Amino acid sequence: MSAKENLGDYYADTAYTPTKRQQWEEANPERDTIIGSRLSWSRRTQDNGTNEEYGHNNIAISQNWEDQRIEKSLEGDDIFKGMKVRYDHQVIMPPHHTALTRVLHVATAFGIVFFFMSTASFFLLFLIISFHWLFGGNNVDYFLSSMLVSAQFFVPVVMTSLVLWKGGRYLEGKHPSIFYGMRKAPLWRLNRQTGLLTIYDPKTAWEKRLEAPFWEYDAFLQSSPDTQGSATYSLILYHPFQQIRQKLDAQFPPTNMPGELVAAWQFIQRYMDVSQPLPDVPALEIHRHKDPTTAAADQRKGRNPRYWRDMSEAEVEKIQKEKYQKNIRLR
């Protein structure tokens, strides 16, 4: 079955192909922009993805979601309504975490970072004070008073960090519904079958702010400083005429490795491009036969339908590492 036949039989007229983007760019050379680095569109995207997309655990996660979908007889938007996430051959709709969940995740991360930083700083200060005491001619009172002052500052910081760290891990293990709390409505939706990107109003469940063909959006990398002042990047899709933007953090988290988000952008293009098969990543393997273009390509290549599932965890991790090393060099 050719790509053209697929477009008529299974995919909507608005389904994305690189030719549509090229024609749109030629028709709209001057368009609104935002601050950040605008990413290019590839005419034929390489089969790529972020480090997380190649995680071995995605095999089990994807199968679990599919089992739930079948058990609950969910189709269409009911998949997200019933499971609060969707990731298959037709649609990507990431979970929409609650504000409390985001606070808990940030607090846990801060707890881990500050625990190790403050512990290391206290140990370094201990060595400095000990050196001055032993070799600087100071008496034991100097050592004790200096350590007391240091402890008065560092102990509360260390203990608070430890509480945040272990408290977060306790909630994650014992009360995951709180630690991973999700809202009932989505943030955005990528639909390969229709070629549309839908952006929802975060305040009003299921109300669409914008729904437009995927090829009308520009992709940007925007940076902001993290707690240590280093640049942290986010991937953003922006509609230059509607002037609406959407961060894709829910699916592709901010990172200090811009190459990982360039790989994410390549992954999205490949996922939406119905002239090419789906990205060959572990989580999508059980869905490949349901997508016409992908099924035809896999049949031609003689791809093992259990390519990922027949691998050991170590074999998958080797490929994951190779992909990551390639991604960090992307610009």
Side-chain angles (χ1 to χ4, degrees):
M1 185 180 291
S2 69
K4 184 177 181 180
E5 289 171 332
N6 288 341
L7 287 170
D9 297 340
Y10 177 78
Y11 304 108
D13 292 339
T14 48
Y16 166 67
T17 60
T19 301
K20 292 180 178 179
R21 172 65 188 190
Q22 187 172 4
Q23 293 172 344
W24 186 85
E25 285 183 350
E26 291 170 355
N28 300 281
E30 299 295 330
R31 54 188 185 274
D32 189 50
T33 187
I34 58 175
I35 296 174
S37 300
R38 184 155 64 186
L39 301 178
S40 63
W41 284 71
S42 300
R43 296 298 173 239
R44 189 165 183 82
T45 313
Q46 296 299 310
D47 195 354
N48 200 15
T50 65
N51 183 59
E52 180 61 30
E53 295 294 336
Y54 289 93
H56 182 269
N57 62 326
N58 290 338
I59 298 173
I61 292 172
S62 183
Q63 187 62 60
N64 178 50
W65 287 343
E66 180 65 358
D67 291 343
Q68 288 186 55
R69 184 195 69 78
I70 294 172
E71 180 183 349
K72 298 176 181 178
S73 300
L74 301 174
E75 297 291 344
D77 286 341
D78 287 339
I79 296 175
F80 186 92
K81 291 176 180 178
M83 303 194 304
K84 301 178 184 177
V85 65
R86 185 176 179 187
Y87 186 100
D88 57 29
H89 62 295
Q90 290 180 330
V91 171
I92 294 178
M93 298 175 77
H96 184 187
H97 292 292
T98 64
L100 175 60
T101 292
R102 292 195 292 271
V103 169
L104 290 174
H105 285 201
V106 170
T108 303
F110 269 89
I112 295 172
V113 171
F114 278 97
F115 175 80
F116 286 106
M117 285 181 60
S118 56
T119 301
S121 299
F122 181 73
F123 180 71
L124 179 61
L125 190 59
F126 169 77
L127 293 178
I128 293 173
I129 293 173
S130 298
F131 181 84
H132 278 286
W133 171 44
L134 294 173
F135 302 103
N138 297 304
N139 57 32
V140 71
D141 290 337
Y142 162 81
F143 175 79
L144 293 175
S145 62
S146 298
M147 288 304 301
L148 179 61
V149 171
S150 301
Q152 288 175 338
F153 174 78
F154 280 105
V155 169
V157 175
V158 170
M159 294 306 297
T160 301
S161 301
L162 188 62
V163 169
L164 291 174
W165 174 14
K166 295 302 180 181
R169 288 292 177 257
Y170 172 80
L171 286 175
E172 182 181 18
K174 299 294 185 180
H175 302 283
S177 61
I178 297 176
F179 193 80
Y180 293 108
M182 293 183 285
R183 299 182 187 275
K184 297 180 180 179
L187 286 166
W188 52 266
R189 173 178 61 192
L190 278 169
N191 191 315
R192 174 178 168 91
Q193 189 174 18
T194 65
L196 301 176
L197 168 61
T198 306
I199 299 174
Y200 294 95
D201 188 329
K203 297 180 180 178
T204 305
W206 292 95
E207 182 175 319
K208 298 175 182 178
R209 292 182 65 209
L210 174 65
E211 185 170 72
F214 171 63
W215 66 81
E216 292 184 359
Y217 292 83
D218 285 324
F220 289 85
L221 282 188
Q222 283 191 344
S223 64
S224 58
D226 62 13
T227 54
Q228 277 117 14
S230 301
T232 299
Y233 298 89
S234 289
L235 178 59
I236 294 174
L237 293 186
Y238 176 68
H239 197 286
F241 298 113
Q242 298 297 327
Q243 297 184 336
I244 292 177
R245 71 186 73 189
Q246 178 62 54
K247 278 189 176 184
L248 304 188
D249 292 1
Q251 183 68 31
F252 307 104
T255 175
N256 59 1
M257 305 297 293
E260 274 284 278
L261 293 181
V262 175
W265 173 230
Q266 293 179 354
F267 173 86
I268 292 171
Q269 291 178 75
R270 179 61 174 257
Y271 178 86
M272 294 294 287
D273 182 2
V274 298
S275 69
Q276 294 194 82
L278 288 163
D280 200 345
V281 295
L284 290 174
E285 182 169 70
I286 63 173
H287 301 291
R288 294 181 68 85
H289 66 284
K290 306 172 190 174
D291 179 78
T293 300
T294 308
D298 287 352
Q299 185 175 16
R300 287 195 304 270
K301 295 177 180 178
R303 181 190 181 277
N304 175 9
R306 293 186 57 86
Y307 172 75
W308 292 106
R309 286 169 287 176
D310 286 346
M311 283 190 191
S312 67
E313 184 172 353
E315 289 173 322
V316 176
E317 287 179 352
K318 182 176 182 294
I319 295 174
Q320 183 183 35
K321 184 177 181 180
E322 291 171 353
K323 291 286 186 178
Y324 178 74
Q325 291 301 321
K326 176 183 177 182
N327 290 349
I328 61 177
R329 295 190 293 270
L330 292 176
R331 291 292 182 270

